[in-house]
Amino acid sequence: AQRVTQPEKLLSVFKGAPVELKCNYSYSGSPELFWYVQYSRQRLQLLLRHISRESIKGFTADLNKGETSFHLKKPFAQEEDSAMYYCALLAGVRLSYGAGSYQLTFGKGTKLSVIP
Amino acid sequence: DSGVTQTPKHLITATGQRVTLRCSPRSGDLSVYWYQQSLDQGLQFLIQYYNGEERAKGNILERFSAQQFPDLHSELNLSSLELGDSALYFCASSVADRSYEQYFGPGTRLTVT
């Protein structure tokens, strides 16, 4: 079974400092990984996915298959980055009649607090 | 606003009781997912429906069941409630059956006393 591990429950950094939120996974298939974010009083939402290799709000994440990691990074933290961050892995199987059965497995989340 | 609605927002009930949580997906989304979020377990996938059909099952207890209706709204039924069932229950929706981009609702907070 797949597993996603976020070793830090809480990460506090000063404004302007670099941020790295750690995520490790275990999965026997080809992984598709994502970061979701939940800002205060807002809903959980997709931040970025590894396939796109894009930078969203200054955040990037690189999939390292050798280390089975997908760490989220930002060079200079901003106060508005304070939120809960969840790493997620998409796993699924193709059913016999052609349909798919997929699920997102989430890590337990890391609360990022950016200190002014 | 992502468009996913959940009712009720809060629910307080006693052990042994049964409750029903309701979810309406975004307009046009065919998939509905249910998640349970507790302090110790984090966000756990329970079950997925796609266009009325069950597609994926996670760590859903036998006391829990769900369905998706022809109008695509979904209900999660929790029975023989225990104290440990107290949690936030989220619903999410997506357009397709294989979608990493899920749109989450605000959640229903269930407290079992």
Side-chain angles (χ1 to χ4, degrees), chain A residues 9 32 34 36 38 43-46 49 86 90 94-95 97 99-108, chain B residues 1-4 35 37 40-43 45 48 53 55-58 97-102 104-106:
Chain A
K9 282 188 176 180
E32 290 190 56
F34 312 88
Y36 273 74
Q38 186 171 26
R43 302 178 186 196
L44 192 61
Q45 58 188 288
L46 178 67
R49 55 179 179 139
Y86 295 91
L90 184 68
R94 178 64 60 186
L95 302 176
Y97 55 93
S101 173
Y102 300 93
Q103 67 180 70
L104 273 176
T105 298
F106 286 87
K108 292 189 178 181
Chain B
D1 191 319
S2 69
V4 178
Y35 293 88
Q37 186 179 43
D40 55 342
Q41 293 296 323
L43 194 63
F45 169 73
Q48 177 203 4
E53 175 190 346
R55 279 295 179 85
K57 232 173 181 178
D97 60 344
R98 182 184 188 280
S99 183
Y100 56 86
E101 184 155 20
Q102 299 177 15
F104 281 76

Side-chain angles (χ1 to χ4, degrees), chain B residues 37-50:
Chain B
Q37 186 179 43
S38 58
L39 282 174
D40 55 342
Q41 293 296 323
L43 194 63
Q44 292 224 312
F45 169 73
L46 295 178
I47 197 165
Q48 177 203 4
Y49 277 83
Y50 176 74

Side-chain angles (χ1 to χ4, degrees), chain B residues 2-112:
Chain B
S2 69
V4 178
T5 60
Q6 290 185 247
T7 56
K9 284 187 179 179
H10 304 278
L11 197 49
I12 302 174
T13 189
T15 54
Q17 295 299 304
R18 172 190 168 94
V19 297
T20 297
L21 312 183
R22 183 188 169 101
C23 168
S24 292
R26 292 189 320 158
S27 176
D29 284 358
L30 299 179
S31 259
V32 169
Y33 311 79
W34 286 98
Y35 293 88
Q36 179 193 58
Q37 186 179 43
S38 58
L39 282 174
D40 55 342
Q41 293 296 323
L43 194 63
Q44 292 224 312
F45 169 73
L46 295 178
I47 197 165
Q48 177 203 4
Y49 277 83
Y50 176 74
N51 205 20
E53 175 190 346
E54 182 186 303
R55 279 295 179 85
K57 232 173 181 178
N59 299 319
I60 187 166
L61 299 171
E62 285 192 14
R63 300 184 285 108
F64 296 1
S65 65
Q67 54 184 328
Q68 186 180 27
F69 295 87
D71 66 353
L72 300 177
H73 91 272
S74 177
E75 291 180 357
L76 179 67
N77 300 295
L78 316 174
S79 61
S80 303
L81 285 167
E82 301 175 359
L83 295 177
D85 297 328
S86 296
L88 259 174
Y89 291 84
F90 287 104
C91 169
S93 73
S94 66
V95 172
D97 60 344
R98 182 184 188 280
S99 183
Y100 56 86
E101 184 155 20
Q102 299 177 15
Y103 295 86
F104 281 76
T108 292
R109 182 170 293 280
L110 173 67
T111 302
V112 182

Side-chain angles (χ1 to χ4, degrees), chain A:
Chain A
Q2 62 273 11
R3 177 176 288 183
V4 176
T5 304
Q6 293 179 251
E8 303 139 329
K9 282 188 176 180
L10 173 65
L11 182 64
S12 297
V13 301
F14 285 100
K15 178 182 173 181
V19 175
E20 183 179 52
L21 298 166
K22 291 184 167 48
C23 172
N24 289 91
Y25 68 90
S26 66
Y27 182 52
S28 56
S30 183
E32 290 190 56
L33 285 142
F34 312 88
W35 279 96
Y36 273 74
V37 62
Q38 186 171 26
Y39 300 102
S40 179
R41 301 180 187 279
Q42 294 188 29
R43 302 178 186 196
L44 192 61
Q45 58 188 288
L46 178 67
L47 179 63
L48 55 79
R49 55 179 179 139
H50 88 271
I51 290 178
S52 63
R53 301 184 65 82
E54 57 194 342
S55 172
I56 303 292
K57 298 185 179 183
F59 285 98
T60 58
D62 289 320
L63 176 61
N64 185 324
K65 292 187 179 180
E67 295 184 358
T68 60
S69 68
F70 187 56
H71 303 327
L72 183 68
K73 299 177 184 178
K74 183 170 182 176
F76 308 104
Q78 302 298 316
E79 288 179 65
E80 55 265 30
D81 296 329
S82 295
M84 278 292 294
Y85 291 81
Y86 295 91
C87 183
L89 181 150
L90 184 68
V93 295
R94 178 64 60 186
L95 302 176
S96 58
Y97 55 93
S101 173
Y102 300 93
Q103 67 180 70
L104 273 176
T105 298
F106 286 87
K108 292 189 178 181
T110 297
K111 183 175 182 178
L112 175 65
S113 177
V114 180
I115 305 163

